[in-house]
Amino acid sequence: MPRDEPGWCALSWVVGVLVAAGFLAMVPLWGPVMVAAWAAIIAQPLYRPLAKRIHQRQGAAAMLTVLLVIIFLAPLLVATLSLSGAAVELGGRLFASKSGAEALKALTAGGGGEAFDLKALKLEQALELARRHGASAMGVAETLFGAATVIVIGVVVFTAAFYTFLVKGPSAYQWFLERSPLARGHSHRLASAFAEVGRGLVVGVGLTALAQGAVATIGYVVTGVPQPLVLGLITVFLSLIPSLGSALVWVPVTGGLALSGRSGAAVAMLVIGCFVSVVDNLIRPMLARYANLRLNGLVLFIAMLGGMTVFGAGGLILGPLFVRLAVEGLTMLKEHRDTQELLKS
């Protein structure tokens, strides 16, 4: 049908509405699907040789999916659930501190307070606790159950999508190129930018932050700091901040050790912390050839924070993705304009 016929305009509007409706239907689970697509792209160097060796694509995809669940997903879920309570307790002690010195000491001091003795609890006390806190406890239980349900659904969707992208990823990509309203070259470049962001965030930024958190956790364990895994997890997240990063955790910990009179542990933490700060410079160049995200470090950090402000927790990956796609789009427009000016001259 020629594009100037009236039916073409109507069809375009109908298709646009249907695509938008389909997109909205998938919005609640876009996070697991997007991360699964990135994970499948990253796993391609392992998937292709394995599929060729066993002569079965589905079998290779199943093996990598099981391996991913055992090595990454299961430990991540266990760590998140086990460390959440300790993180809340640590935050409570820090906020309860009346001065900066007390806050530093709280980082290196064990938890306080009396333990809750269930055996000494009388029936009258139990009824009073139920009367005063029953409603809030039910609310917390409902919230935790809802969060657990979302996590379980997300894990199931991620696992299924990862397997599907491994097996049918190339054919799905060709389907997208054939039906994209953009020119094939433009669609390919945007898809390449999408893959670049995934490799850059998961491999480049993610592995570097995990390495810094792992080294810092070793330091917290060696120096006898309470809740070293919680502090290590905080170090992983703060390592995303350019320049300062992990120092926002290990420097206060070192100060807390010094104020507590543990000078030897403070010196050891200072040495390990300095090494933590240079891990980024050691690892990032090795990962740059495979996971080079062409965004300035400050721009990446601002995109993450801005994305979280606008889109919530998912903005941590949506922010950098939109910024990188915008940069690629502007580059394509510039190239097109330069070509038109060259033809006119």
Side-chain angles (χ1 to χ4, degrees), residues 13-79:
W13 277 102
V14 170
V15 171
V17 171
L18 292 176
V19 170
F23 176 79
L24 290 176
M26 298 182 64
V27 162
L29 294 172
W30 67 264
V33 174
M34 180 181 295
V35 177
W38 281 341
I41 292 172
I42 296 172
Q44 285 299 317
L46 294 176
Y47 170 70
R48 291 170 184 167
L50 182 60
K52 186 177 181 180
R53 184 170 184 176
I54 67 176
H55 305 288
Q56 190 175 8
R57 296 170 56 190
Q58 290 83 355
M63 292 173 61
L64 288 180
T65 302
V66 172
L67 189 65
L68 178 69
V69 171
I70 295 176
I71 295 179
F72 292 103
L73 291 185
L76 180 62
L77 288 175
V78 172

Side-chain angles (χ1 to χ4, degrees), residues 97-256:
S97 303
K98 298 181 180 180
S99 64
E102 290 185 5
L104 292 178
K105 291 181 181 179
L107 284 173
T108 57
E114 297 181 357
F116 181 76
D117 189 358
L118 184 61
K119 296 180 180 179
L121 184 65
K122 298 180 180 180
L123 178 60
E124 295 81 2
Q125 294 175 324
L127 293 176
E128 179 63 19
L129 286 173
R131 185 185 66 81
R132 289 188 299 172
H133 304 291
S136 60
M138 285 298 297
V140 171
E142 291 177 0
T143 302
L144 292 177
F145 179 78
T149 302
V150 172
I151 292 175
V152 171
I153 293 176
V155 170
V156 172
V157 171
F158 171 83
T159 305
F162 176 74
Y163 172 84
T164 303
F165 283 133
L166 281 179
V167 177
K168 300 185 179 297
S171 59
Y173 178 61
Q174 290 300 321
W175 184 94
F176 166 75
L177 289 179
E178 292 172 358
R179 290 160 177 80
S180 173
L182 301 176
R184 179 176 287 263
H186 294 161
S187 298
H188 179 71
R189 288 183 58 172
L190 291 177
S192 298
F194 172 83
E196 175 193 317
V197 174
R199 286 193 296 264
L201 290 179
V202 176
V203 179
V205 177
L207 289 185
T208 302
L210 286 176
Q212 289 183 290
V215 176
T217 302
I218 294 174
Y220 304 144
V221 172
V222 169
T223 55
V225 176
Q227 300 177 349
L229 295 181
V230 174
L231 292 174
L233 184 63
I234 297 174
T235 304
V236 169
F237 286 108
L238 292 185
S239 297
L240 302 175
I241 302 177
S243 301
L244 298 176
S246 58
L248 293 174
V249 182
W250 67 261
V251 168
V253 170
T254 303

